[in-house]
Amino acid sequence: MPFDGLFTHAMIAELRSKIIGGRVTKISQPFPNEVILTIRSQRHNQPLLLSAHPNYARIQITKIPYNNPPVPTNFTMTLRKYLENAKITAIDQLDNDRVANFSFATRNELGDELPLLLSIEIMGRYSNIVLVDQKDNKILDTIKHIGPSQNRFRTLLPGATYIQPPKQNLLNPFADESAKYLDLVQQFPNREMLAKQLQKSYQGIATAHALYLADSLHAVGDTSINWEHALKQADSPTPTIVGGSKNFFTFFKYDNDLNSENTESLSNLLDAFYQKKATSDRVQQQGSQLFHVIKGNLQKNRKKLKKLQQTMASTQKADILRIKGELLTTYLYQVKRGMTEIELPNYYDNEKLVKISLSNQLSPSQNAQKYFKKYQKLKNAVAYVTKQMKITKTEINYLEEVETQLELADPQDLPDIKVELQQEGYIRAQKQNKNGKVRKNKLGQPDTFYSSEDIKISVGKNNLQNDRLTLKMAQKKDIWLHAKNIHGSHVIIHDSQPSERTLLEAAKLAAYYSKARSSGNVPVDYVRVKNIRKPNGAKPGFVIYEGQQTLYVTPDEGEMKKMKKHD
């Protein structure tokens, strides 16, 4: 994933064409390490994503929607104080390093000009976003505070003097007057060796890009022209995702790679490449408590079910105990006090002899009563164990449903799932205001899609959304869909007579948002909403239905995205 100096150069060129001269209209920090500045430029709102994530640090214009947290961070408040309505005047790169500097023009409270610098340092786990007052070169705030104990060379704290990242003792490929690459080509005819030497000599070149440059230098024609042509692609990029076992993104044009895919812009490229990776990572991080709660309760209930099943298996001996008690009662005259066992004919089984253990401390009649008591105890246990097994299986089924929803969730779906677990008693509701009352979070809305025939389709992403969608939002004549006997989302077609094409598309959505997302042939039930009902006391998301029909479909992410784009 080479977001190296070359790619940074290409991305800055793209951003210059789109947001230079624009003004900041909105600032949000949807995640701890990521900020979105909404830039009003060229009559469009451009959401500029600045990420200091240790694995997915980047800069881009994003089309992926994000939810703004209810309480802004201190860094967000600082950015809003200084950058709201500020004008972007320049975007520069530090040599060919992964550092992008955004210059802003604004005014302070007294109306004096206040030049600001927002520096995004893309350096793996050391990535950071730093706001600097350029008048006195002082740091106003950073998204990650780095004290002297963590870094003696650079203190990144409010009020500290801003020091740029240390320069590397390497050449800038875009400003190399020595043309060192010519000597390297002569010395290293091997492709891999030449690529390594390019990385050792030039700044900001990842392995994938170094290999591409090595191929360009070894290509037929003038070496200098080949080098210049390759680097010029950073200003006229061909956004490409290169497939294979180690897929990566680039701005170079891969003509001969059958697994490559092109996008309209570098920003679209990063949205396509990072969406799944970053979303999954955020869900794992932000939902770690929820995953822990679900896995812990699942483990506890599965152990409980196993013990109940063992108890139920032991109750099968109840009839044997009853028979032994009856045989002792029938042949009581043969039983003597002090005996430890006796064999008696079983008149229920062709007079076969049955060995019966006895207690030498009890009388013959007490031994018979002992067997009857054990029989009655096991008989009473059957009803209790049967009830408990039903409750435990329901609990496991519910927890597995929530676990599936967590696995398929986007970060903005997690608050709803947390609220649900609080309501069900798995997580204690936290008191969040001064009066000691629990803050009521507003539930998210179901996802909206449109079929190729422009029919609205709604998809619940968690149990609370599923209940509200099916039982309150949908009309009785609408069509309800759900993956058959599989954990998944409720899907509603807001139409009383959908065509077969729309039904199939909605069924693919139901299959995609289910545990069977990766399967090839998924059964999906569909029925009118009027045939759906929720039993009293049922868990969130659980409904029963009748009169359903079944379709078999294969989930298709590409079709799902096309239906989502209409929204």
Side-chain angles (χ1 to χ4, degrees), residues 185-198:
V185 171
Q186 296 298 322
Q187 295 177 38
F188 302 98
N190 178 272
R191 174 181 183 254
E192 283 73 20
M193 288 299 296
L194 177 57
K196 288 181 180 179
Q197 293 304 315
L198 289 172

Side-chain angles (χ1 to χ4, degrees), residues 370-388:
K370 180 181 176 182
Y371 277 100
F372 282 125
K373 286 179 181 179
K374 286 183 177 179
Y375 160 72
Q376 193 61 44
K377 185 177 179 180
L378 288 179
K379 185 180 177 183
N380 293 339
V382 170
Y384 174 79
V385 171
T386 300
K387 181 180 178 181
Q388 288 300 310

